[in-house]
Amino acid sequence: MQPGDTVVSTSGDIVPVLGVFKKVTPAFGSFAPVRLRAPYFGLQSDLVMAGTQRLIVGGSDVEYTFGQDEVLIPAHHLINGTAAIAQPSKGTMTYYQLLLPENEAFVASELCLESLFIGRLRRRKDIFRNTSLAAFPRNLLPEHAATLNKILRPYEAITLAAMRAA
């Protein structure tokens, strides 16, 4: 994947990729990868991702339980030994994030994932130059409005996963 490629958003639109950002981190602690296990969340096979990657989940159970069409779930909130487990790793992990024009959700491996959220970072020159986006021209960066979706807490995420498995 590279800038100029396209992805399919959850609304079915074709969206251009503005940037692909690579981050190499230690593979433990808050940077430890998470293995999402099939068949939870519609997966056909297990999927390993960054613990901070947010899944976008919707459905009647979400609407009934949380009063919203969709919610955001950080992958590490799902670790419970069933729906997700900590992925044992040594050394480092390389994670990639996609920057899209809006803070769109895109489809990857049967899941709806949140793209990189940068808020209004381009307005903060002092902070911007110390980020991994510093090589990107500031005037070409989009501005992302804050998400309206609820971000689930760990116990809410685990409860939702258990409800979906039942």
Side-chain angles (χ1 to χ4, degrees):
M1 189 79 19
Q2 60 186 355
D5 288 348
T6 58
V7 294
V8 178
S9 73
T10 55
S11 62
D13 297 332
I14 305 297
V15 180
V17 174
L18 300 178
V20 179
F21 297 94
K22 175 182 173 179
K23 185 172 187 173
V24 178
T25 66
F28 52 87
S30 60
F31 296 113
V34 173
R35 176 177 292 276
L36 297 180
R37 299 178 64 203
Y40 294 93
F41 299 100
L43 287 173
Q44 299 298 316
S45 60
D46 289 3
L47 181 65
V48 177
M49 66 176 49
T52 56
Q53 176 65 55
R54 293 187 209 170
L55 288 67
I56 299 173
V57 179
S60 58
D61 52 348
V62 169
E63 190 173 345
Y64 178 77
T65 307
F66 303 106
Q68 294 190 331
D69 293 337
E70 298 176 327
V71 293
L72 296 169
I73 305 174
H76 62 86
H77 284 6
L78 292 166
I79 295 175
N80 67 349
T82 307
I85 57 173
Q87 175 68 30
S89 297
K90 293 181 181 179
T92 61
M93 284 294 292
T94 303
Y95 298 117
Y96 295 89
Q97 291 184 297
L98 301 180
L99 178 63
L100 304 179
E102 301 293 326
N103 186 222
E104 289 109 338
F106 62 97
V107 180
S109 297
E110 303 109 20
L111 287 177
C112 298
L113 302 176
E114 181 185 43
S115 62
L116 177 62
F117 175 77
I118 60 169
R120 294 190 167 130
L121 178 65
R122 75 181 192 169
R123 295 184 185 195
R124 301 289 311 270
K125 189 186 286 188
D126 55 327
I127 295 173
F128 174 76
R129 71 176 145 225
N130 295 316
T131 69
S132 58
L133 299 172
F136 204 86
R138 269 186 35 223
N139 63 330
L140 296 180
L141 283 176
E143 290 191 9
H144 295 155
T147 181
L148 299 176
N149 292 335
K150 175 182 177 67
I151 300 171
L152 297 190
R153 295 181 181 108
Y155 70 89
E156 293 171 320
I158 290 170
T159 300
L160 179 61
M163 287 173 28
R164 290 188 163 213

